Amino acid sequence: MTEPQSPAGTHPTKPFHQNYPLQVGALLVWVVAWIGVQSLLDRNAFDAGQQIGSFLVIILGIFMGAFLRGRAWFFRLLTSVPFAISQISFLAIALLAAALTGGTEPLNLQESLWFWALLSLLAVSMLCVAWKRRPYPAHRVGFLLVHVSASLVLLGGLWGQFSEVRGSRTLRVGETVDSFSRLKKGKLDQDAYALPGFRLRLEQVAVEPSGPAYRLYAFTHPDGKGGFEKEPKTIDAPPGGQPRLPGSGLLLEVERILPNGVDAGEFINNPKAPENPALRVMLGIGTQEPLVGDLFSRVEGKARRDEPGGRFAVVFQDHWSTELLTRLRPGLPTSQKLLLTYLGRTFEHEAKVGGSWDFPTFRLTVEKAYPDFAVKKDRDGNPEAYSRSQNPVEPWLELRLHNPDGSTKRVMLSASHPDVSDQLNEPNLPKGLNLRFVQEGAESQSRFVVFTREDQSARLVEKGRVSRSEPFSLGKPFVVERGLSVTPVATLDHAEYVPNFVPYPDPTLAGTFARPVMKVKVWDPASSRSEEKWLDAKGPDGTPVAELFMNGQVKLIYQPRSPEAEDLRTVLTVLDEQGHPLLEKTTKLRDPLVFRGHAFFPDGTLPEQPGVSKILIEKKSGFWLSALGYLSLLIGIAWMFYLKPVLKRRAVRAEEPS
Amino acid sequence: MTSQPSLLAKAGTALLAGGYGSFTVAIVMGLLALRSTGAEFEKRNRRWIRLGFLLLACALVLRAFGAQAGVGDADAWGRTETWGLVLWLGCGAVLHLHYEPALKGRKAVWGSLLLGGLLLLTLFGMGIIPTRN
């Protein structure tokens, strides 16, 4: 092959093996060509092993063809120092460019043919240099080791890619397996991979939150219709920090966090706020201090308050209607169900005495229902549950959890006080699992005092009939019966709640009272406008309350941390063929159990059911060859730089005539 | 077994720091070489680059062994490994400059200062510039 000749009278072009720009251009073409080859292979559904096989065939063909057609020219190019400098620099720049582009996807060099192509060219260059610089007296062994090492690392890496095993299998707790289904291009293949000489058993699956129990989440992309994006972003706001809310120009500051906040807020009448009619009432029920509360006619769940003794309920509505009257009478529940929540997923089942609910690793049976739950002491002084009546006043359900080993645990669920039953059942339920008893349509109350705004009337409704009606005025008590009265003390047409939280007053009891709240300030540095609000992780009904800021630009919510893949822990045991345990480890997402070159770990998704986990297997051969290459490289570098001068001096002294 | 990968990774990190330190000294020697006549600082510049090259190579290899022991995959690259490899390859290119007649001497020293720029990018940019792990 001849070098390009410059026309007469012009500046001579450097030969290719000394021309840096031409070399870089050629390397760019080399990389682009291999990217094209890989995209072609991808389109034809070649898996990783097939792609590496194709790569080897093509590149060997190219090198052999080059050596056959222009051996001298090709050899001179590969052994030239400028080409070495170009290759090494180009590889560094290419790696950096690959790492900087591509968003958040992991940098997967071993699946990139362009990377193997560059490395192959460099390895062949280094082998040619090693060949050219023969012979190798003792002081030059280091040079040989360094220039052979790249080929060993390359061969080890290619072997690993070619023979790589990736598989997956869904296991239940207690299940032992000796094979996995192979994954090809991320999809399950029918081909199975048999574990060589050992088996794997899933001992336990648990979710252990690795961060704070409650986190701040932000919705920052309003859709213009009152909604926001589907998935919020988590915001970490360290004390004193002012992180920017992503996707907006707003800044956030966390002013205060209380793990056990007590609501000390109040309602005020704000004429500028939207219409929100409220009635403040005072209950005279024979206590030293009368009870005061607010009722809201247009807020679901807040238009009614029950007297603490259950003797009557107070209702506030905009209008009176016969439809309202039909609702104000005792009634049995229209439906009863069990709700099981596990890792953010909720399962529903009918709550029927005698019924059972099966899961892969346990069983729930409904033993008994208590419509009006109470506890008494039996003859031996032990607490005993019973039902005071058949009226659904205080509905509870008794269940039994059956474990695979035969043991059982009692589970008690309250429809009215789910928080109480959550605390009661925590030691008996599997970790990460929450069980609730829900009744719909039940009404236990038979007496109601109804205030209506439109006609300013108060009515006494008993057993579904209006027994008394009179106009109401502020300060005038409405007597329910002797000793029981309701007095309206204030009406608010534009009621607005001004929240305020204080720490639980008794520090010794604070630990048992958990209501995490956070005070945040959001401000716009451009306009210097700011808003402060409290975020309640356990609102009045036990669920987190989201707040809007800056005319609905962002929505913030402080809530229990959503379970993440990193929280999943699976305990795996390796057994020999006789079933004896060889190795046990608690694995998580990036911390596998490694046995005979096989790595086992849970996949990146949360399990759909309790007691079940998808386990991935990865195995790569050829590391020993790469390791040999790495060691050659290290020994070679140290030899070249530090041992060579010593050996060379000795060789020179040995040659000097004595 | 579970402590071995972390020990290897920690040793790798220590050597990485050593490599970065050597390059820093090499940059200083390079700056002094440009300001002075004579080849003394050029030799020192090359010596410190060689030391950094060796330490960085040891660090990358130890982290690869740590990854193999820990997760069964020596190619489990992280951000640190990517930037470390880029710096190491740059260093390799600079070392070869001394064997190219047209680029040895002062030009190679300038090359080492470019390496210094890459080092600064690695030290300060790694945490700021988003790169794939």
Side-chain angles (χ1 to χ4, degrees):
Chain A
M1 201 175 285
T2 55
E3 298 294 349
Q5 299 292 321
S6 53
T10 61
H11 190 72
T13 315
K14 276 190 180 168
F16 187 84
H17 69 274
Q18 288 176 340
N19 194 323
Y20 289 101
L22 269 183
Q23 288 167 8
V24 168
L27 287 169
L28 194 59
V29 169
W30 180 247
V31 164
V32 169
W34 279 104
I35 292 172
V37 166
Q38 182 155 31
S39 68
L40 190 68
L41 296 175
D42 281 337
R43 260 186 270 141
N44 285 285
F46 276 53
D47 64 29
Q50 289 168 333
Q51 289 196 7
I52 293 295
S54 310
F55 165 80
L56 285 169
V57 167
I58 297 170
I59 207 159
L60 282 172
I62 292 172
F63 287 148
M64 279 175 61
F67 272 107
L68 286 170
R69 289 293 303 270
R71 185 189 316 175
W73 183 91
F74 197 50
F75 190 81
R76 189 163 50 161
L77 172 68
L78 294 178
T79 55
S80 72
V81 173
F83 193 52
I85 295 169
S86 298
Q87 281 188 87
I88 296 168
S89 308
F90 189 86
L91 184 58
I93 295 166
L95 277 175
L96 202 52
L100 289 170
T101 57
T104 54
E105 282 179 32
L107 180 62
N108 213 345
L109 286 174
Q110 55 265 38
E111 288 183 3
S112 306
L113 293 187
W114 65 262
F115 171 72
W116 291 116
L118 281 177
L119 200 56
S120 304
L121 195 58
L122 187 63
V124 167
S125 299
M126 290 167 82
L127 281 177
C128 290
V129 167
W131 177 260
K132 183 180 174 181
R133 299 286 294 272
R134 297 170 292 137
Y136 287 100
H139 65 271
R140 297 199 60 245
V141 166
F143 183 92
L144 175 68
L145 288 173
V146 169
H147 287 80
V148 161
S149 65
S151 307
L152 294 171
V153 171
L154 174 72
L155 285 173
L158 286 173
W159 184 356
Q161 279 301 105
F162 191 68
S163 63
E164 187 187 43
V165 170
R166 272 195 199 164
S168 157
R169 184 139 183 190
T170 302
L171 279 89
R172 293 184 194 178
V173 167
E175 188 180 358
T176 304
V177 296
D178 58 6
S179 67
F180 277 71
S181 303
R182 284 186 193 255
L183 281 170
K184 287 193 177 172
K185 288 216 154 302
K187 291 184 186 157
L188 281 177
D189 198 57
Q190 283 182 354
D191 191 21
Y193 174 75
L195 298 176
F198 64 93
R199 295 184 289 167
L200 189 77
R201 184 168 66 206
L202 176 64
E203 304 285 357
Q204 194 185 345
V205 179
V207 173
E208 286 173 20
S210 49
Y214 291 82
R215 287 192 83 170
L216 179 61
Y217 294 84
F219 296 84
T220 54
H221 291 89
D223 60 8
K225 296 174 209 165
F228 287 84
E229 68 270 29
K230 210 173 167 186
E231 294 296 330
K233 294 158 208 60
T234 53
I235 304 291
D236 288 314
Q242 292 170 354
R244 193 169 286 273
L245 288 169
S248 72
L250 304 172
L251 294 174
L252 170 86
E253 184 181 338
V254 173
E255 296 192 334
R256 202 168 180 199
I257 298 176
L258 294 174
N260 37 37
V262 173
D263 191 350
E266 58 173 354
F267 279 96
I268 58 165
N269 199 34
N270 180 3
K272 290 183 188 169
E275 196 178 22
N276 183 23
L279 180 72
R280 187 162 289 165
V281 297
M282 191 164 67
L283 300 186
I285 53 174
T287 53
Q288 213 166 0
E289 297 244 358
L291 296 176
V292 179
D294 294 311
L295 300 158
F296 300 85
S297 61
R298 296 181 192 177
V299 179
E300 178 137 357
K302 294 194 175 177
R304 163 187 171 160
R305 286 279 190 109
D306 284 57
E307 185 265 324
R311 289 170 287 191
F312 64 92
V314 186
V315 178
F316 177 48
Q317 293 288 282
D318 281 348
H319 319 282
W320 174 258
S321 65
T322 46
E323 189 268 333
L324 175 64
L325 188 62
T326 57
R327 284 194 275 123
L328 299 177
R329 61 186 62 185
L332 292 171
T334 51
S335 79
Q336 298 188 111
K337 50 191 175 186
L338 295 170
L339 293 178
L340 186 143
T341 307
Y342 182 68
L343 297 178
R345 290 189 181 88
T346 303
F347 304 87
E348 245 180 58
H349 196 271
E350 194 190 10
K352 195 173 159 187
V353 175
S356 70
W357 196 4
D358 289 303
F359 285 90
T361 52
F362 62 87
R363 193 164 177 246
L364 285 167
T365 51
V366 183
E367 309 264 292
K368 214 169 172 184
Y370 302 90
D372 188 7
F373 179 82
V375 176
K376 67 181 178 191
K377 290 233 163 57
D378 64 11
R379 265 180 249 168
D380 302 320
N382 298 318
E384 186 186 330
Y386 75 104
S387 189
R388 284 176 288 225
S389 68
Q390 289 307 305
N391 297 324
V393 175
E394 185 55 65
W396 280 68
L397 206 62
E398 181 177 333
L399 291 88
R400 199 147 279 276
L401 176 83
H402 301 263
N403 291 308
D405 60 2
S407 63
T408 66
K409 293 264 169 75
R410 194 187 190 198
V411 177
M412 300 293 294
L413 300 174
S414 165
S416 318
H417 307 283
D419 284 355
V420 171
S421 43
D422 282 349
Q423 278 193 348
L424 208 62
N425 298 317
E426 201 196 337
N428 294 336
L429 291 175
K431 226 169 179 182
L433 195 142
N434 180 267
L435 199 53
R436 291 276 171 101
F437 171 39
V438 173
Q439 280 190 332
E440 285 165 359
E443 180 55 76
S444 56
Q445 190 55 257
S446 61
R447 188 159 56 177
F448 300 85
V449 176
V450 184
F451 293 91
T452 43
R453 188 168 166 246
E454 188 184 38
D455 57 4
Q456 295 281 297
S457 291
R459 292 172 177 81
L460 180 64
V461 175
E462 290 176 302
K463 292 180 184 169
R465 292 174 64 193
V466 178
S467 56
R468 183 159 38 102
S469 172
E470 61 189 59
F472 80 80
S473 54
L474 297 181
K476 180 184 161 195
F478 180 92
V479 179
V480 180
E481 68 175 45
R482 192 184 162 94
L484 296 176
S485 66
V486 184
T487 307
V489 295
T491 54
L492 307 161
D493 291 329
H494 299 267
E496 190 183 49
Y497 185 67
V498 179
N500 187 29
F501 286 90
V502 297
Y504 195 80
D506 187 345
T508 57
L509 291 175
T512 60
F513 177 80
R515 186 168 179 179
V517 292
M518 174 190 275
K519 191 172 184 189
V520 296
K521 182 162 89 171
V522 174
W523 85 86
D524 184 355
S527 63
S528 299
R529 200 179 129 222
S530 68
E531 280 180 31
E532 279 179 359
K533 288 190 186 183
W534 281 96
L535 301 174
D536 190 352
K538 278 192 182 179
D541 58 356
T543 56
V545 179
E547 295 284 352
L548 293 172
F549 291 78
M550 301 300 191
N551 297 327
Q553 271 188 69
V554 298
K555 182 167 79 171
L556 299 178
I557 186 166
Y558 185 47
Q559 63 182 15
R561 183 174 167 277
S562 305
E564 292 165 15
E566 281 80 11
D567 301 334
L568 192 63
R569 305 281 180 271
T570 57
V571 180
L572 297 171
T573 305
V574 173
L575 309 166
D576 63 12
E577 285 179 344
Q578 285 73 45
H580 302 123
L582 299 173
L583 182 66
E584 185 179 285
K585 184 176 175 182
T586 302
T587 67
K588 47 190 180 182
L589 193 58
R590 274 172 277 274
D591 185 15
L593 178 149
V594 180
F595 184 78
R596 290 186 195 164
H598 299 76
F600 301 97
F601 48 96
D603 85 336
T605 57
L606 293 169
E608 295 193 348
Q609 288 189 351
V612 166
S613 181
K614 196 189 248 186
I615 303 295
L616 297 182
I617 176 178
E618 278 187 8
K619 179 181 181 288
K620 263 191 192 172
S621 310
F623 178 68
W624 66 271
L625 200 51
S626 297
L628 198 60
Y630 292 137
L631 288 173
S632 300
L633 179 72
L634 295 181
I635 295 169
I637 293 172
W639 196 301
M640 274 177 64
F641 293 157
Y642 302 105
L643 201 51
K644 176 183 170 182
V646 172
L647 293 173
K648 206 171 177 183
R649 273 197 298 272
R650 275 194 206 162
V652 164
R653 261 188 249 129
E655 281 172 12
E656 277 172 3
S658 50
Chain B
M1 182 63 183
T2 52
S3 65
Q4 186 189 3
S6 62
L7 274 173
L8 289 170
K10 282 175 184 166
T13 307
L15 287 166
L16 206 67
Y20 292 161
S22 303
F23 289 139
T24 309
V25 177
I27 293 163
V28 171
M29 293 298 131
L31 289 168
L32 290 170
L34 291 175
R35 283 181 61 101
S36 66
T37 55
E40 183 55 35
F41 284 114
E42 281 177 27
K43 278 186 195 164
R44 288 180 187 178
N45 167 262
R46 192 156 48 146
R47 252 182 251 149
W48 281 102
I49 288 178
R50 282 178 171 180
L51 179 61
F53 187 69
L54 175 62
L55 291 175
L56 207 49
C58 292
L60 292 171
V61 167
L62 275 178
R63 288 180 82 97
F65 276 102
Q68 176 68 20
V71 300
D73 186 359
D75 302 324
W77 284 104
R79 190 182 297 189
T80 312
E81 286 77 23
T82 305
W83 283 86
L85 180 61
V86 168
L87 188 64
W88 185 76
L89 288 169
C91 182
V94 165
L95 286 173
H96 278 79
L97 293 178
H98 294 281
Y99 297 96
E100 172 59 15
L103 296 173
K104 65 199 289 182
R106 285 292 168 114
K107 287 182 184 167
V109 172
W110 276 108
S112 73
L113 294 182
L114 277 177
L115 192 69
L118 188 58
L119 173 65
L120 286 172
L121 197 62
T122 302
L123 287 175
F124 300 107
M126 186 166 61
I128 301 168
I129 301 170
T131 45
R132 297 152 84 183
N133 281 329

